[in-house]
């Protein structure tokens, strides 16, 4: 297993990057979000990688700017009928935090914007990932682990987020408001909704 590659950017094309490591070129697929983080001055970079095998296409190397995106690639390809190409498409239009929010809020339209991902696949992604993603992990300051993301759902916060985004509030504003509430983790859904609305109303 190739966990990461340190090297210099030799070539960048649509969804593909070649990294020069000691005179050897490693060609890998990368999401648009990861490519946007690459330096433009050809300085040395570390790319986190995942080697994937497909019966039809053989081995493919996939690159990621950070471990968190790699973890979500693993999660996405674990969803039935979601292959590496579709997973890369999702990660090109949504950052890991945006994908978390879309899954929690049941926002299939945002996920379906990815190339090759229709409404049915977006619904399947939401269905199979909703119990693995916790709102408390959104915009976390902690780095993602090397292991595949396995998250415990915080149902009260998740339900409050879904309810408030359904009312038209942005997910980011709701999450920022929740962070300002002391003891939010121990509140009932009704209390948390009221306190979050109070904070949102004071902005």
């Amino acid at each position: 297993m190739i966990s990461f590659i340190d090297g210099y950017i030799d070539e960048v094309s649509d969804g593909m990057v070649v990294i020069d490591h000691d005179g050897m070129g490693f060609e890998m697929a990368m999401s648009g979000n990861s490519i946007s983080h690459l330096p433009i001055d050809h300085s040395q970079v570390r790319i986190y990688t995942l080697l994937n095998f497909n019966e039809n296409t053989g081995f493919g190397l996939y690159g990621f700017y950070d471990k968190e995106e790699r973890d979500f690639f693993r999660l996405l390809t674990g969803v039935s009928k979601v292959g590496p190409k579709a997973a890369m498409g999702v990660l090109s239009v949504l950052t890991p935090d945006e994908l978390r929010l879309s899954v929690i809020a049941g926002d299939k339209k945002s996920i379906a914007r990815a190339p090759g991902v229709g409404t049915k696949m977006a619904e399947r992604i939401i269905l199979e990932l909703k119990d693995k993603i916790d709102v408390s992990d959104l915009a976390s300051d902690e780095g993602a682990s090397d292991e595949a993301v396995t998250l415990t759902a915080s149902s009260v916060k998740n339900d409050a987020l879904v309810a408030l985004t359904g009312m038209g509030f942005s997910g980011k504003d709701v999450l920022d408001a929740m962070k300002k509430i002391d003891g939010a983790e121990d509140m009932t859904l009704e209390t948390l909704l009221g306190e979050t609305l109070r904070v949102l109303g004071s902005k």
Side-chain angles (χ1 to χ4, degrees):
M1 178 69 71
I2 304 173
S3 181
F4 64 84
I5 296 174
D6 288 334
Y8 299 89
I9 301 168
D10 181 73
E11 182 182 343
V12 178
S13 58
D14 185 22
M16 190 70 65
V17 173
V18 176
I19 302 296
D20 181 348
H21 173 78
D22 290 339
M24 184 178 294
F26 288 86
E27 182 180 290
M28 62 193 73
M30 290 187 74
S31 73
N33 280 325
S34 274
I35 290 176
S36 70
H37 283 90
L38 296 177
I40 60 175
D41 58 358
H42 296 285
S43 58
Q44 185 166 342
V45 294
R46 168 167 291 188
I47 303 297
Y48 296 94
T49 58
L50 186 65
L51 189 63
N52 183 276
F53 177 76
N54 182 285
E55 291 183 358
N56 297 320
T57 59
F59 287 99
L61 187 62
Y62 298 87
F64 310 90
Y65 181 74
D66 58 24
K67 296 178 183 177
E68 183 181 35
E69 190 184 56
R70 183 176 64 183
D71 288 341
F72 270 88
F73 179 81
R74 287 190 178 113
L75 270 182
L76 286 165
T77 53
V79 174
S80 58
K81 299 183 180 181
V82 176
K85 186 175 181 180
M88 276 295 181
V90 172
L91 293 171
S92 290
V93 299
L94 297 172
T95 66
D97 270 356
E98 289 168 341
L99 178 56
R100 281 191 181 100
L101 182 56
S102 295
V103 170
I104 292 167
D107 183 3
K108 60 187 178 185
K109 289 184 179 180
S110 291
I111 298 174
R113 288 191 296 111
V117 178
T119 302
K120 288 186 177 179
M121 184 178 290
E123 290 174 345
R124 194 180 307 119
I125 288 171
I126 291 169
L127 179 65
E128 296 190 28
L129 296 189
K130 65 180 180 180
D131 292 331
K132 299 179 180 179
I133 291 178
D134 185 354
V135 66
S136 63
D137 289 276
L138 279 159
S140 170
D141 291 331
E142 297 295 325
S145 68
D146 287 334
E147 303 300 323
V149 179
T150 303
L151 304 172
T152 303
S154 172
S155 60
V156 172
K157 281 189 173 181
N158 291 356
D159 290 347
L161 177 63
V162 171
L164 292 168
T165 53
M167 293 168 61
F169 293 101
S170 77
K172 182 179 184 302
D173 286 345
V174 172
L175 294 170
D176 288 344
M178 285 183 181
K179 291 176 184 177
K180 298 176 182 178
I181 301 171
D182 293 332
E185 295 78 8
D186 302 319
M187 291 180 178
T188 64
L189 176 58
E190 183 179 357
T191 303
L192 181 57
L193 283 171
E195 287 297 306
T196 307
L197 284 168
R198 179 184 60 78
V199 175
L200 289 168
S202 66
K203 290 183 64 175

